[in-house]
Amino acid sequence: MGLASASTATDGMQLCIFDLRRGQNEGQELDKILFFFPADLPFSTQLSVIGLSEGLITFTRIFSPEAACEIIEAERHSHVFYEAETDIWMVMADFPVGKKLQLPSFRDCLKERGTVQMLTMGREAAIEVQSLVSVLDSCAGNSSCYSMILFHDLLVSTTLSPDDTINLFTYAVLRLSPNALSSGVNSWSYIRRGSTSSHFVSGSALTHSGPVSEQIYHSSDTSPVGNNINRVTRALQHGKWYKGKDGFLVTDIWGVDVGSLVCATPTVWLQQTEEAMYLCPYQFKSLTLILLIPVSSILNGEQGVALVKQQLLENASLKILKVEEKLSKGWGGENAYHVSGYRYLLVDGDRNISRASPPGKVTTLAKESLLALSKLRDEVDLEKSRAKRDNAGCEKDLEVSIRAKNNAWAIARITGGKELYMVLEKASETLLYASDAVEKFSNRYCNGAFSLD
Amino acid sequence: MSGKASSSSQPSIGLSGSGALSHIYIQYPPLRCSIPESRGLHYDDGTKLLIPSTSNQIFSWKTVPFNPLATSTSDSIPEGPILSIRFSLDTKLIAIQRSSSEIQFWIRETSEAFSHRCRSDSENILGFFWTDCPLCDFVVVKNSGLDLFAYDSVAKSLDLVEMRKLNVCWYVYTHESRLVLLASGMQCRTFTGFQLSSAGIVRLPKFDMAMAKPEANSKPVLAAEDVYIVTVYGRIYCLQVDRVAMLLHSYRFYRDAVVQQGSLPIYSRKIAVSVVDNVLLVHQIDAKVVILYDIFADSRAPISAPLPLQSRGFPRSYSSSSRSSGKDGECSEVNNKIDHEGIIYGDNWTFIVPDLICDVSNNFLWKIHLDLEAIAASSSETPSVLEFLQRRKLEAIKAKQLCLGIARTVILERRPVSMVSKAIDVLVSSYSLSLKTGSYFKGIKTESTSSGVAKTSVARSSTDVSTSRIDGTSIRHESTAGVDSEYPSRASTFSASESEENASSAPLRTDSRDLQLGGGKVDRVNLTGAHSSGPTDNPVFVNISEQQDSELTSPAISPDEMYKFVFAAVEEEMVGDPSYLVSIIVEFLCSTNMEKIKVHPNLYVLAIQLLARNERYAELESFVTNKILEPSKEVALQLLESGRQNIQTRKLGLEMLRQLSLHHDYVSLLVQDGRYNEALRYARKYQVTTVRPALFLQAACSSNNSQHLAAVLRFFSDFIPDFRTTSDFTTYYGILNEMNTSVAATSF
């Protein structure tokens, strides 16, 4: 929710991610910008926003070296800070032009990890997928690979840990999925992509460097190896991935391998196993497979990776075809998970999975409904944090219903670690009616998980 | 010689082979039919009797079931030359060819005789046979054509029913196929065929056999001993030796066509053909080796390399020095009589289709056996070995054991998943087919009716099963060796192509299946006992007595057996990363899902255990939510068990109990988790009264919250009538009062 709300915000709002360790030398300031929204802002403005944030961080650290500032509310602006990883900061800056934004806790938005959207499939397809997964995971011989499979922008399968899954899933949806690759086509993904491609192309991205590259998620404790300090990998750049003839996606973000003059295969760092992995995405129609090969298992660099890729094609092509066919057959289109009459968000906090009404449908909600929903979420967040404080182990069941000005119902039900948020604009009559509608939804789409009695 | 190849290939399958240097063998002792003053030895394939004769007496030995200790029955007959002998199918009459123009009939019951002679002197009797064709009982093949007779048991004479005029050089006939092939022409390579089935007489289109010319102007002549009719998987083939091309041509017979099916190379001037359990054996007599073919699919590739025929059980084997010499003494008598070095493929061997060898000089009859273990061990192509084994039914138990062993081995050896997957596919589709054809249950049924139950009732039910199958697939097949007529397991792809074939060119077999049924019937009745009289209306599968009572008829492996004898067994032995076994289980589920076969929940339980052991909880979750592991109480309980280490997994188990409406277990577990409020709500909604109130009260009590305890007490007072009179109520009411007073005391 956080990001989605942020990107639709007004002109006054900016979101930036920057790395404090980078760009400390004159002339290299741009290096520190990892992400900036809106991207079309001039660099000078971007740098000044970051500069101000940097200053505030440095200043507040004097008083609290361990935990720097969280929120600064000033008359003309407000800043929300979140240190995602050591020295990597996410800052949301709000310079209200007119009215101040009313959104639930900004900081929680920044802290909140994304969720994964899963594809629902039948048993037969699931078995086929699983069969494919075992081929993928074993295609580098003895060392076990990891894999993730997406269909359109939905997760089909993963063998990664939940944390790594979210990270890679988010990256895949933003940069690797067919939707992400075909720029210009508007993604229906829950996480909106920036519509303009990034302006902060680093001049050094294409310059030489060894095959050693940085990881996306791990802002390595060791500073970038190699003698070129200018070398900065900007993994989040738009439009840098493209599909090769063999179906594998390639990018030059990670530079070019000196020996073979091919694009270096990106590497990522898995938090769970603390292992560096080669990232090999493969795409067939709407199916995206991401194969992660342990770097340690490949002795001869790019050549070795190419060999594994070739093996994957040999062993898995037929299964990939089959899986794509099965999934396409059962695919209900981008409005597959729309339930008419309902606007919902279903979150499984334990599994970090969510499902929601398609964006196209959510945008039909009236402003009053959205305000009620925002209020509802405030309440729920408050209640949740209170419950967490009271007793950490136990899960709390909760039901909140709010009547909006337009007579819509905004309802939240939380039970057993699962959350259901819902807006019913047409259930105007009574609370009983609204509650009944939730019950129906729960029985029909959630195996009765939210049916209270 | 081939010992090396054999021993090196065995470990690759990992079976403890029988140490055989061959794939087929004959087992000592043979059936000995030596009689004093023997003048000749005959074999009647209609009744499957081996018949040695003297000038005025004939002896007959049953050869099916093959029993070396079988005793003979003897008949005294009028003295005279005996050219050939055939018993009527009900064995009441004996037809004896006395000369090229006379056949004498001997009625056994009354010891009467009558004769049949050719009408003109120019006619020569080439042969004769009894038939179960409704039109006639007896067929005489002459150089001028076929004479079909009906036997008049009252007048004790033959009545001519029909004559088919044509020039015949020689003929071949097997009772098994009911097919008579008449050779004509200069080269004797033009054939006219008739099938005298119980459905009537089918005349096959005339056809020529292929013969290569050695040189421009010479024309080789085809001889009767170069043509074999064989029945394999219920299909009728004709095999023809072409000595010039050194090929064995094969032809398949359809009702309206004879189709050449390709040729097999031969490596000997002299060859012989046998069929054992639907495996075609081509004996290369000069080379003293045999090549095995399984012509089930289109493949003409031999099953394995040429190897000699082995004789087993001899005190001193001709080839194996390692054989234990412990039994030497036993058969010294035989030793003296027979030179073992020369016995195999000796000149005095006559091959009797399908699976017998007659040693005419010693009056020995040998039965040929397949060494399934050796065949399985000689190939590393696991899926095709399994296919081969699954098609065997003569030794169904052995084939099944071998299949299970192979399946275990490939998993334990961690062969590539794709290969194991193919192997599993073979087993699963074979089981699926055996379900469709009923042979799997038939096997089970036979087992359970091992004794005491009237044979016919069993047979009837089997017939029903098989009839419905025939309608479905138009395929049927008769076992040559008399185990039973079930179709062996076959891959579904094959049966698909088979039915296509049927549709396009209507195989002879299909249309004349009554023939096959009837054929089996008569065979069996005659075999199972001379006492049975009315051959025509006995059910088809009276042959149960022929099998060992508890014998399986199909080597098909059910999913339960797969679990028990493969997965569970392998899991115990397997070391290291269990994810390989998980992959294999997924492949198995893939196969069973394709064939719509239900899997035993224990397999799911095993999968959960393996995933949990690997701490792959996230994947376990997707297995469960996607229903790869189908919900069941067993699965739910295992999730709860594995959930001790992982709360999410436990939740899945609870959720599954709820969705399966296992209310009692669900409520008990909620209480156990201390969620007694939720449990009460649920208990009220679903009227779960089986969970003891004491459990709830205990849980509420341990929360140390008097309000909760009061609420629970109140709930049960309302929910269960007379609750107030129970000891539970009294106990906890007392505790509640204590709690309240202590609260009151502390607050003051």
Side-chain angles (χ1 to χ4, degrees):
Chain A
M1 254 192 157
L3 273 175
S5 332
S7 60
T8 52
T10 50
D11 293 357
M13 208 215 62
Q14 284 129 22
L15 175 68
C16 56
I17 304 173
F18 57 88
D19 187 345
L20 277 182
R21 289 162 305 179
R22 285 176 166 172
Q24 295 303 330
N25 296 334
E26 213 173 305
Q28 295 169 1
E29 289 88 353
L30 279 181
D31 286 354
K32 70 176 68 168
I33 310 174
L34 299 180
F35 178 84
F36 203 96
F37 174 88
D40 50 1
L41 231 56
F43 285 131
S44 57
T45 318
Q46 290 186 20
L47 284 173
S48 89
V49 170
I50 288 170
L52 177 57
S53 305
E54 242 187 297
L56 288 167
I57 291 164
T58 318
F59 178 69
T60 50
R61 263 193 177 155
I62 299 171
F63 309 102
S64 168
E66 293 307 311
C69 57
E70 292 184 355
I71 295 168
I72 288 178
E73 294 263 12
E75 202 179 328
R76 303 290 304 275
H77 65 91
S78 56
H79 273 75
V80 183
F81 298 87
Y82 177 60
E83 191 175 14
E85 288 175 23
T86 314
D87 285 333
I88 296 200
W89 286 85
M90 294 169 75
V91 177
M92 195 188 273
D94 182 24
F95 302 94
V97 189
K99 221 178 139 196
K100 257 184 118 175
L101 280 173
Q102 292 246 323
L103 277 174
S105 166
F106 273 131
R107 191 149 192 280
D108 283 348
C109 291
L110 292 183
K111 268 162 86 173
E112 197 153 273
R113 311 297 303 275
T115 50
V116 167
Q117 286 81 49
M118 301 278 302
L119 179 77
T120 302
M121 53 190 159
R123 176 168 193 256
E124 192 171 325
I127 293 174
E128 290 290 351
V129 166
Q130 206 52 50
S131 172
L132 170 60
V133 166
S134 57
V135 173
L136 294 182
D137 286 6
S138 62
C139 72
N142 289 331
S143 50
S144 68
C145 302
Y146 292 92
S147 68
M148 179 183 276
I149 302 177
L150 286 87
F151 186 69
H152 289 280
D153 285 350
L154 299 174
L155 183 69
V156 173
S157 120
T158 172
T159 54
L160 292 167
S161 71
D163 277 354
D164 291 321
T165 295
I166 293 175
N167 291 333
L168 191 57
F169 173 79
T170 310
Y171 185 73
V173 168
L174 288 170
R175 299 292 180 266
L176 304 175
S177 75
N179 281 319
L181 282 189
S182 59
S183 57
V185 179
N186 206 6
S187 169
W188 57 273
S189 160
Y190 305 119
I191 302 165
R192 286 268 301 269
R193 292 180 292 126
S195 51
T196 48
S197 64
S198 169
H199 286 260
F200 50 85
V201 176
S202 157
S204 58
L206 291 174
T207 56
H208 67 286
S209 111
V212 179
S213 53
E214 286 204 23
Q215 289 81 36
I216 306 173
Y217 304 111
H218 184 76
S219 72
S220 55
D221 312 331
T222 56
S223 47
V225 187
N227 41 20
N228 189 345
I229 300 169
N230 285 334
R231 168 85 189 116
V232 178
T233 304
R234 299 194 178 283
L236 293 176
Q237 276 173 293
H238 285 273
K240 283 286 178 179
W241 285 89
Y242 55 94
K243 192 167 158 182
K245 270 185 191 142
D246 55 1
F248 281 95
L249 305 184
V250 283
T251 180
D252 56 15
I253 295 176
W254 273 260
V256 174
D257 186 48
V258 195
S260 53
L261 288 176
V262 295
C263 292
T265 306
T267 53
V268 296
W269 181 260
L270 293 186
Q271 296 183 331
Q272 172 85 5
T273 55
E274 305 204 308
E275 217 179 341
M277 310 292 274
Y278 284 113
L279 174 77
C280 304
Y282 174 83
Q283 208 157 73
F284 175 69
K285 294 187 183 171
S286 304
L287 201 65
T288 308
L289 316 177
I290 300 169
L291 182 68
L292 298 170
I293 314 161
V295 171
S296 58
S297 74
I298 304 282
L299 297 175
N300 45 352
E302 290 304 326
Q303 272 182 349
V305 174
L307 210 70
V308 176
K309 283 180 173 180
Q310 194 188 329
Q311 219 141 52
L312 181 139
L313 291 179
E314 278 169 20
N315 298 337
S317 287
L318 219 67
K319 281 190 191 289
I320 291 171
L321 227 83
K322 218 163 153 188
V323 165
E324 203 280 337
E325 195 187 292
K326 283 251 154 66
L327 294 182
S328 295
K329 223 189 250 170
W331 173 234
E334 45 183 81
N335 282 340
Y337 302 131
H338 173 57
V339 181
S340 71
Y342 294 88
R343 299 294 179 271
Y344 68 92
L345 168 67
L346 197 58
V347 183
D348 185 339
D350 297 331
R351 301 159 63 197
N352 293 314
I353 290 174
S354 69
R355 173 165 295 173
S357 298
K361 300 288 178 182
V362 174
T363 50
T364 65
L365 285 177
K367 195 171 145 200
E368 289 87 354
S369 308
L370 290 171
L371 279 171
L373 191 63
S374 166
K375 184 97 180 21
L376 180 80
R377 186 174 172 185
D378 244 1
E379 293 288 329
V380 170
D381 283 352
L382 200 68
E383 196 60 43
K384 267 161 69 181
S385 60
R386 193 181 299 152
K388 204 180 277 174
R389 213 172 41 238
D390 287 352
N391 54 347
C394 198
E395 282 165 338
K396 199 168 167 80
D397 287 1
L398 183 71
E399 182 175 19
V400 183
S401 304
I402 291 180
R403 178 82 152 175
K405 279 186 183 140
N406 60 344
N407 289 338
W409 285 102
I411 300 170
R413 275 195 192 178
I414 297 171
T415 181
K418 291 192 174 93
E419 304 171 18
L420 174 64
Y421 300 87
M422 193 169 267
V423 178
L424 301 166
E425 289 196 324
K426 301 223 166 81
S428 55
E429 299 304 318
T430 59
L431 180 58
L432 192 68
Y433 181 93
S435 171
D436 215 42
V438 176
E439 196 80 8
K440 260 188 211 155
F441 185 90
S442 157
N443 286 333
R444 187 109 188 251
Y445 302 101
C446 317
N447 292 316
F450 297 97
S451 309
L452 290 180
D453 320 274
Chain B
M1 46 179 196
S2 47
K4 248 182 197 163
S6 176
S7 63
S8 68
S9 61
Q10 273 170 28
S12 72
I13 297 286
L15 293 171
S16 55
S18 55
L21 307 169
S22 64
H23 295 139
I24 63 165
Y25 62 92
I26 51 177
Q27 179 77 43
Y28 178 86
L31 170 63
R32 289 178 210 185
C33 51
S34 351
I35 50 161
E37 296 171 46
S38 169
R39 287 273 191 85
L41 187 58
H42 311 273
Y43 179 75
D44 174 17
D45 79 329
T47 53
K48 299 211 162 48
L49 291 174
L50 188 65
I51 311 162
S53 61
T54 65
S55 58
N56 63 351
Q57 212 178 11
I58 60 167
F59 295 81
S60 53
W61 269 271
K62 277 194 271 179
T63 62
V64 174
F66 187 81
N67 177 11
L69 304 173
T71 51
S72 63
T73 50
S74 71
D75 291 87
S76 292
I77 52 163
E79 206 166 319
I82 300 173
L83 298 184
S84 86
I85 303 175
R86 278 185 188 269
F87 280 63
S88 67
L89 298 181
D90 60 6
T91 66
K92 286 183 173 175
L93 277 80
I94 304 172
I96 307 151
Q97 187 181 353
R98 295 298 191 179
S99 70
S100 64
S101 60
E102 184 195 351
I103 298 169
Q104 188 179 48
F105 291 86
W106 178 253
I107 304 167
R108 298 174 78 187
E109 217 176 333
T110 58
S111 298
E112 289 171 85
F114 65 93
S115 283
H116 169 79
R117 280 191 179 76
C118 292
R119 286 183 188 170
S120 79
D121 291 343
S122 63
E123 286 182 339
N124 264 341
I125 295 176
L126 301 174
F128 60 93
F129 51 87
W130 297 88
T131 167
D132 50 0
C133 172
L135 291 173
C136 58
D137 302 311
F138 193 74
V139 179
V140 178
V141 187
K142 300 178 298 181
N143 56 355
S144 59
L146 291 183
D147 283 356
L148 280 56
F149 298 97
Y151 170 61
D152 184 341
S153 58
V154 180
K156 298 191 170 58
S157 65
L158 289 184
D159 300 335
L160 184 65
V161 175
E162 200 179 327
M163 283 173 74
R164 298 274 180 149
K165 287 264 175 211
L166 69 162
N167 285 325
V168 181
C169 306
W170 47 261
Y171 81 104
V172 281
Y173 173 78
T174 66
H175 183 72
E176 189 179 47
S177 63
R178 308 292 195 279
L179 180 71
V180 58
L181 285 182
L182 308 169
S184 60
M186 289 284 284
Q187 286 179 275
C188 300
R189 64 185 196 101
T190 304
F191 285 85
T192 311
F194 294 97
Q195 190 176 37
L196 299 119
S197 72
S198 52
I201 299 174
V202 179
R203 188 195 169 117
L204 300 178
K206 205 175 225 187
F207 71 102
D208 282 352
M209 288 196 186
M211 285 187 88
K213 289 178 187 172
E215 53 209 58
N217 289 323
S218 79
K219 286 184 176 169
V221 177
L222 193 61
E225 54 268 28
D226 288 340
V227 173
Y228 304 86
I229 300 172
V230 295
T231 311
V232 175
Y233 296 114
R235 312 166 193 156
I236 301 171
Y237 292 90
C238 178
L239 300 175
Q240 172 229 341
V241 182
D242 185 340
R243 286 222 173 66
V244 175
M246 287 301 269
L247 286 173
L248 186 64
H249 302 300
S250 71
Y251 307 84
R252 184 169 168 194
F253 293 101
Y254 296 85
R255 191 186 180 87
D256 55 356
V258 179
V259 180
Q260 184 159 3
Q261 299 273 301
S263 306
L264 308 171
I266 53 174
Y267 307 98
S268 162
R269 299 283 301 168
K270 199 176 162 200
I271 70 146
V273 169
S274 308
V275 174
V276 181
D277 201 6
N278 291 313
V279 177
L280 179 70
L281 317 179
V282 182
H283 305 275
Q284 319 279 333
I285 303 223
D286 298 342
K288 300 204 181 208
V289 289
V290 59
I291 305 178
L292 279 61
Y293 297 93
D294 187 11
I295 47 177
F296 184 81
D298 284 334
S299 164
R300 294 280 170 272
I303 294 171
S304 53
L307 281 177
L309 169 77
Q310 193 187 42
S311 59
R312 287 197 183 165
F314 276 110
R316 236 181 262 284
S317 180
Y318 66 100
S319 63
S320 170
S321 55
S322 67
R323 194 161 283 272
S324 113
S325 53
K327 299 185 221 153
D328 266 14
E330 270 178 44
C331 308
S332 51
E333 165 217 350
V334 181
N335 256 330
N336 297 338
K337 267 176 139 180
I338 303 167
D339 174 12
H340 289 155
E341 297 296 328
I343 181 176
I344 300 296
Y345 292 125
D347 289 338
N348 45 9
W349 271 21
T350 306
F351 290 83
I352 299 170
V353 174
D355 58 354
L356 299 173
I357 298 168
C358 189
D359 182 345
V360 286
S361 60
N362 293 305
N363 278 17
F364 282 3
L365 187 75
W366 301 97
K367 187 175 162 66
I368 307 172
H369 299 271
L370 291 181
D371 186 344
L372 293 183
E373 209 164 347
I375 295 171
S378 67
S379 168
S380 55
E381 281 292 311
T382 306
S384 50
V385 167
L386 289 174
E387 273 178 1
F388 174 80
L389 289 173
Q390 286 290 307
R391 285 197 283 265
R392 305 283 73 80
K393 36 180 233 161
L394 210 54
E395 297 179 277
I397 291 178
K398 179 157 221 181
K400 187 170 183 166
Q401 296 298 343
L402 285 169
C403 288
L404 289 170
I406 291 170
R408 279 193 296 267
T409 306
V410 291
I411 298 174
L412 281 173
E413 288 179 357
R414 291 178 184 259
R415 301 285 194 83
V417 173
S418 57
M419 193 277 267
V420 181
S421 164
K422 272 183 208 144
I424 286 174
D425 275 348
V426 169
L427 296 181
V428 171
S429 58
S430 165
Y431 171 73
S432 165
L433 190 90
S434 80
L435 278 189
K436 282 174 204 149
T437 61
S439 66
Y440 184 79
F441 290 120
K442 186 176 185 306
I444 306 267
K445 203 187 287 169
T446 313
E447 224 169 354
S448 62
T449 57
S450 55
S451 64
V453 180
K455 277 178 209 157
T456 32
S457 72
V458 174
R460 283 246 157 73
S461 61
S462 316
T463 314
D464 291 344
V465 170
S466 87
T467 310
S468 64
R469 169 173 55 75
I470 291 164
D471 294 337
T473 60
S474 314
I475 294 162
R476 211 190 102 62
H477 113 240
E478 183 192 15
S479 157
T480 57
V483 161
D484 95 356
S485 307
E486 270 314 320
Y487 205 77
S489 316
R490 40 157 48 207
S492 49
T493 48
F494 295 147
S495 56
S497 66
E498 183 76 10
S499 9
E500 273 169 39
E501 212 170 37
N502 289 347
S504 57
S505 61
L508 178 60
R509 289 217 53 296
T510 311
D511 295 299
S512 56
R513 63 169 180 260
D514 290 340
L515 145 82
Q516 299 294 339
L517 290 164
K521 174 191 334 179
V522 175
D523 264 2
R524 300 296 141 55
V525 170
N526 283 320
L527 292 165
T528 44
H531 55 271
S532 71
S533 48
T536 37
D537 50 32
N538 267 343
V540 180
F541 295 109
V542 184
N543 56 341
I544 284 171
S545 62
E546 283 177 28
Q547 329 171 1
Q548 301 301 308
D549 271 335
S550 62
E551 194 121 312
L552 284 175
T553 55
S554 158
I557 300 170
S558 72
D560 288 10
E561 290 163 326
M562 277 299 274
Y563 166 73
K564 216 157 129 196
F565 300 119
V566 179
F567 292 112
V570 158
E571 195 261 337
E572 279 173 18
E573 282 185 59
M574 248 179 151
V575 281
D577 187 9
S579 52
Y580 174 77
L581 191 51
V582 173
S583 307
I584 302 299
I585 291 177
V586 167
E587 294 303 318
F588 179 65
L589 295 179
C590 211
S591 296
T592 51
N593 182 60
M594 294 266 270
E595 299 285 350
K596 309 262 181 293
I597 293 172
K598 200 123 185 65
V599 175
H600 197 283
N602 279 345
L603 186 66
Y604 298 140
V605 169
L606 176 64
I608 297 170
Q609 288 167 345
L610 293 171
L611 286 166
R613 195 181 305 164
N614 244 10
E615 295 185 357
R616 288 161 66 189
Y617 293 110
E619 277 168 88
L620 172 55
E621 188 155 330
S622 91
F623 271 69
V624 172
T625 49
N626 286 319
K627 297 206 165 52
I628 294 177
L629 310 176
E630 291 167 305
S632 69
K633 187 170 178 178
E634 288 93 333
V635 169
L637 294 180
Q638 181 57 48
L639 287 171
L640 290 164
E641 172 66 31
S642 300
R644 287 166 195 268
Q645 278 79 47
N646 180 280
I647 181 74
Q648 285 315 309
T649 308
R650 187 175 165 81
K651 277 187 182 177
L652 284 174
L654 263 176
E655 184 70 0
M656 190 175 284
L657 284 179
R658 189 173 64 78
Q659 285 174 35
L660 290 169
S661 298
L662 294 165
H663 302 314
H664 173 86
D665 302 84
Y666 183 63
V667 170
S668 309
L669 280 156
L670 283 182
V671 177
Q672 207 175 308
D673 285 3
R675 294 157 70 185
Y676 49 90
N677 280 331
E678 220 176 317
L680 285 180
R681 274 207 304 265
Y682 191 87
R684 189 181 60 204
K685 188 174 179 186
Y686 294 100
Q687 292 297 312
V688 185
T689 53
T690 47
V691 183
R692 285 184 299 122
L695 290 177
F696 293 87
L697 292 162
Q698 223 164 2
C701 199
S702 62
S703 73
N704 232 351
N705 184 328
S706 64
Q707 279 182 3
H708 283 197
L709 182 57
V712 175
L713 269 174
R714 178 60 202 271
F715 173 86
F716 281 110
S717 304
D718 292 349
F719 190 56
I720 302 174
D722 303 330
F723 178 69
R724 283 172 187 278
T725 62
T726 61
S727 63
D728 280 344
F729 179 81
T730 337
T731 316
Y732 285 96
Y733 191 70
I735 295 173
L736 179 64
N737 279 336
E738 260 172 50
M739 273 175 149
N740 283 338
T741 38
S742 68
V743 169
T746 48
S747 58
F748 280 108

